[in-house]
Amino acid sequence: MAQDAQLVTVHKAMELMGSRFDITVVASSEEIGSINIDEASAEIKRIEKLISSWDVESETSLINLNAGLKPVKVSDELFSLIERSIQISELSDGAFDISYASLDNIWKFDGSIKEMPSEIEVKNSIANVGYRNIVLNEVDQTVFLSKKGMKISFGAIGKGYAADKAKELLISKQVVGGIINAAGDLTTWGTKANGQKWLVGIANPLSEERIFSWLPIVESSVATSGNYEKHFILNGIKYSHIIDPRTGYPSTGVNSVSIFAKSAETCDALATAVYLLGKDKGLDLINQLGGIEVVLIDSLNQVHKSSGILLDQGE
């Protein structure tokens, strides 16, 4: 165990993909740890270049630009990510859908909304949404959005994917342990410098500062979707900023969903899916998937969990 005493923990927070990323590595020196973190951040920037719908030169922007016009040839990496995204859409009955980017922005979360938009406005807002209109051609490796006005975005899966790729890179560089926190999508490997497990706290829905439960995560990931940040209340109902791509309406009934799985990408996508599916369908889905667990807090602050979760009811 002597070598453990010489390990140090190096941490850096940075702005990447429009969000805060915290990267922590266990290394033999501060200097090596800093180099590792720079390598991880370069990998995240590379992925951002690929999947950003804001970057006009990215492959994703090219796909969106050619919606309804022609298929676009893309890299293996992007093709696979889109393929996996569609699989999650199929699993979740379309609750998760990367074509949600075509939603018209008719809901405001700045306190200005006084009445619900009309049914026709809502119906029109989702006219171009639908993962079934994403046409993949494996032979030519092309992606085609079959409707004009369609757009894809990786907002609900991209940060998790970037965290996984950065972790993969660091493991390949023999970094013995670390934690990557991509704006709440968390992935870990190894242990802390002192050999202890990494712990993740599930926030108490009534107060973000209070931790509701601590769970050890080993070689694992977690992501949370919640309505803490943005929501509006109308006629006593709390509407989340997460819009259901199938109906065009903001979701209700769930305060937060935390998904635990091997990959951050899976956690990221399924947290959104389960949040939109709601308690019963969401828990049902997770209980059918191997190696994936969920802790869900409903709008009455009742805690529900999948069969494999044992909660330590802390504070």
Side-chain angles (χ1 to χ4, degrees):
M1 289 298 283
Q3 80 183 80
D4 283 359
Q6 295 154 19
L7 291 173
V8 296
T9 304
V10 186
H11 165 260
K12 192 175 174 187
M14 56 199 89
E15 178 85 11
L16 294 161
M17 300 179 88
S19 300
R20 179 183 160 128
F21 271 67
D22 287 88
I23 302 177
T24 304
V25 295
V26 175
S28 54
S29 72
E30 286 277 341
E31 192 188 2
I32 288 171
S34 291
I35 291 169
N36 293 147
I37 290 173
D38 288 345
E39 289 171 327
S41 121
E43 174 67 351
I44 293 161
K45 286 175 184 158
R46 181 190 71 76
I47 289 157
E48 180 173 21
K49 193 97 192 85
L50 183 74
I51 68 174
S52 168
S53 43
W54 305 111
D55 180 343
V56 290
E57 289 175 1
S58 74
E59 288 188 8
T60 303
S61 291
L62 213 57
I63 294 168
N64 290 343
L65 203 65
N66 287 287
L69 299 172
K70 62 172 200 265
V72 173
K73 191 168 173 53
V74 297
S75 60
D76 277 356
E77 189 173 7
L78 190 66
F79 192 87
S80 302
L81 180 62
I82 293 171
E83 223 168 16
R84 294 194 302 277
S85 298
I86 291 172
Q87 280 165 0
I88 292 176
S89 296
E90 284 165 351
L91 268 180
S92 66
D93 268 342
F96 172 87
D97 190 334
I98 55 172
S99 74
Y100 81 90
S102 346
L103 269 167
D104 284 346
N105 233 341
I106 57 170
W107 303 95
K108 300 281 176 274
F109 295 90
D110 55 6
S112 66
I113 203 156
K114 297 286 177 274
E115 56 178 27
M116 296 291 253
S118 70
E119 267 182 52
I120 197 82
E121 281 178 298
V122 175
K123 197 170 173 228
N124 289 341
S125 77
I126 55 167
N128 291 320
V129 178
Y131 72 92
R132 289 188 180 86
N133 298 314
I134 304 170
V135 183
L136 299 185
N137 180 325
E138 249 173 87
V139 179
D140 301 334
Q141 212 168 299
T142 58
V143 182
F144 178 49
L145 307 182
S146 64
K147 292 173 83 171
K148 240 184 153 62
M150 257 187 99
K151 283 201 286 280
I152 58 169
S153 164
F154 298 97
I157 195 170
K159 285 193 286 291
Y161 176 61
D164 284 340
K165 292 297 282 183
K167 166 177 160 178
E168 199 180 291
L169 177 80
L170 291 177
I171 291 172
S172 77
K173 305 263 180 194
Q174 275 75 54
V175 177
V176 293
I179 187 158
I180 294 170
N181 182 348
D185 298 341
L186 224 103
T187 191
T188 71
W189 72 101
T191 56
K192 297 179 184 178
N194 62 7
Q196 290 179 343
K197 291 173 178 173
W198 302 106
L199 284 176
V200 61
I202 299 205
N204 183 318
L206 298 174
S207 138
E208 272 192 82
E209 286 71 52
R210 285 180 56 200
I211 291 297
F212 169 79
S213 178
W214 287 98
L215 294 164
I217 52 172
V218 184
E219 308 290 332
S220 185
S221 307
V222 59
T224 300
S225 276
N227 61 8
Y228 311 115
E229 305 97 23
K230 297 189 208 142
H231 59 268
F232 67 86
I233 295 170
L234 205 58
N235 307 326
I237 298 173
K238 189 175 186 179
Y239 293 91
S240 152
H241 70 289
I242 301 174
I243 310 287
D244 191 326
R246 302 165 300 176
T247 63
Y249 284 92
S251 73
T252 57
V254 175
N255 278 352
S256 86
V257 169
S258 295
I259 298 277
F260 299 80
K262 265 274 182 271
S263 88
E265 175 193 308
T266 303
C267 294
D268 198 0
L270 285 176
T272 304
V274 170
Y275 192 92
L276 288 166
L277 284 169
K279 176 176 69 94
D280 297 338
K281 283 183 176 167
L283 285 168
D284 195 40
L285 170 66
I286 297 303
N287 282 326
Q288 289 174 50
L289 301 172
I292 299 173
E293 302 295 341
V294 62
V295 174
L296 180 149
I297 298 166
D298 68 21
S299 52
L300 301 171
N301 291 314
Q302 300 291 315
V303 179
H304 309 271
K305 54 196 176 50
S306 53
S307 43
I309 290 252
L310 303 166
L311 275 187
D312 148 34
Q313 296 274 352
E315 256 284 279

